[in-house]
Amino acid sequence: MPSIAMIGLGNMGSRMGGRLRDAGHVVHGSDVVDGRAAQLGLEPAAGTGAATAAADIVLLSLPSDAAIATAMAGPDGVIGAARPGQLVIDLSTATPGNAARWERELEARGAAFLDAGISGGPGGADAGTLTLMVGGRAELIERAQGVFDVIGSRVFHCGAAGAGHATKVVNNYLNGMNLAATAEALVVGVKAGLDPRQLLEVINASTGANWASEHRFPRIVEGDYIEGGLTNALMAKDLDLYLGLADALDVPAALGAACRTTFTVAMATGYRDRVSNTVVDAIGDLAGGVRVQPDGDRPKDTT
Ligand code: NAD
């Protein structure tokens, strides 16, 4: 069974690392926050380089392009420690155009690279039912299959290096748009005097139904914001990746820009590091304190 390095032990990395450990892999964990690996019951590594040196397969789950660049190409990075035969898989949501560089630099050291966007959030990571959107050389997927089987239930090979990230970025634009649009619509409906539970039931039986209305808002209107999922800051980052991709391709993305502004408002009004489902409260605040939970069912504190 290949040993694993898990670089980045946040909401997603901790869960995927835990599942791989439970499946019998030795998992060497590394995070800029000291002590995370030990806390999670993973093998603590002295840093990214040490975790890489100890592993057959290196996984990254990091919050930004800058963090990925540090972990990959920094002084204690994956590339410097990589050796022939190793496979490195970036499970972060990141700029598609950077993937070719990681592939090239890892191949120069005899190692290999895949970019793999993941969808399904912390629930999917806990259950091992993530959807994986993979870019890179097709023959590498077989080598990664053992890991993919533990963390996911569907694997799509989307094309060459960067195609996995591009697929994820396009998908997450729609994820953010569904969330922001449904949040705004519910705030309008509640302020118009409608019952939020019934409004949602009607939407979900009608043409307005979408992933957020079907899977997120039935819990949000009961006061469960589904903590642990993507924060507003990370959603904004994903929308920036989408807008960057659209801009590079000369595609006008006016709706994407409006969606980004909605999450900018959430970040600027105190919800930056809260789960992105709280965008509905950010919109509600601007609307004069509207909450989409029926009166009396509101959570006292959703932090
Ligand atoms: P997170 O912020 O919870 O975790 C990121 C972790 O990386 C943190 O523990 C941080 O300390 C660590 N880190 C930062 N820089 C580092 C470095 N240079 N070396 C080692 N560790 C470093 O983020 P998350 O929610 O786990 O998301 C991780 C990635 O997965 C992001 O790109 C996100 O967009 C993507 N993603 C998240 C979700 C979700 O629902 N949370 C779903 C799909 C994809």
Side-chain angles (χ1 to χ4, degrees):
M1 209 172 229
S3 55
I4 308 288
M6 188 79 233
I7 315 296
L9 300 171
N11 281 321
M12 300 302 281
S14 62
R15 290 174 161 90
M16 293 186 284
R19 272 196 72 84
L20 287 160
R21 177 207 51 216
D22 294 347
H25 294 271
V26 175
V27 180
H28 303 272
S30 175
D31 196 287
V32 284
V33 177
D34 280 343
R36 276 298 280 156
Q39 249 171 27
L40 295 163
L42 306 178
E43 299 296 318
T48 302
T52 302
D56 300 310
I57 297 182
V58 181
L59 306 177
L60 294 95
S61 181
L62 295 169
S64 65
D65 284 338
I68 294 166
T70 303
M72 281 287 202
D76 179 39
V78 171
I79 292 167
R83 60 172 189 279
Q86 261 180 333
L87 176 60
V88 178
I89 308 173
D90 185 8
L91 300 161
S92 323
T93 306
T95 292
N98 295 345
R101 174 186 167 197
W102 308 134
E103 182 184 66
R104 191 174 58 247
E105 294 189 12
L106 284 162
E107 286 184 354
R109 298 198 47 105
F113 177 77
L114 290 172
D115 53 289
I118 52 176
S119 180
D126 278 336
T129 57
L130 296 170
T131 297
L132 288 124
M133 312 160 204
V134 186
R137 302 190 196 288
E139 63 273 18
L140 297 174
I141 304 237
E142 204 177 310
R143 275 171 60 194
Q145 197 63 52
V147 167
F148 290 164
D149 285 345
V150 174
I151 63 174
S153 54
R154 300 196 73 184
V155 179
F156 295 92
H157 182 227
C158 303
H165 284 336
T167 305
K168 168 66 184 172
V169 162
V170 168
N171 175 75
N172 238 32
Y173 159 57
L174 289 177
N175 174 33
M177 187 58 119
N178 285 334
L179 175 57
T182 308
E184 187 185 283
L186 284 192
V187 169
V188 169
V190 167
K191 204 164 182 186
L194 301 175
D195 170 59
R197 287 189 184 116
Q198 191 196 46
L199 176 57
L200 200 53
E201 201 182 335
V202 174
I203 289 169
N204 284 335
S206 309
T207 46
N210 63 74
W211 178 272
S213 72
E214 290 178 337
H215 297 277
R216 297 184 195 279
F217 280 96
R219 292 172 65 177
I220 295 168
V221 296
E222 302 305 331
D224 173 6
Y225 283 70
I226 322 175
E227 297 296 342
L230 206 66
T231 60
N232 286 297
L234 283 179
M235 182 68 88
K237 178 264 294 183
D238 285 5
L239 293 166
D240 287 342
L241 295 175
Y242 171 76
L243 292 170
L245 184 63
D247 187 50
L249 297 168
D250 285 339
V251 178
L255 295 176
C259 184
R260 172 60 161 98
T261 301
T262 303
F263 288 97
T264 306
V265 166
M267 290 196 297
T269 56
Y271 298 90
R272 172 180 292 272
D273 295 320
R274 301 279 309 281
V275 66
S276 52
N277 293 329
T278 58
V279 72
V280 70
D281 287 354
I283 297 169
D285 290 349
L286 294 186
V290 175
R291 289 295 179 266
V292 298
Q293 295 80 25
D295 278 344
D297 291 336
R298 287 180 193 160
K300 289 190 175 44
D301 177 17
T302 57
T303 53

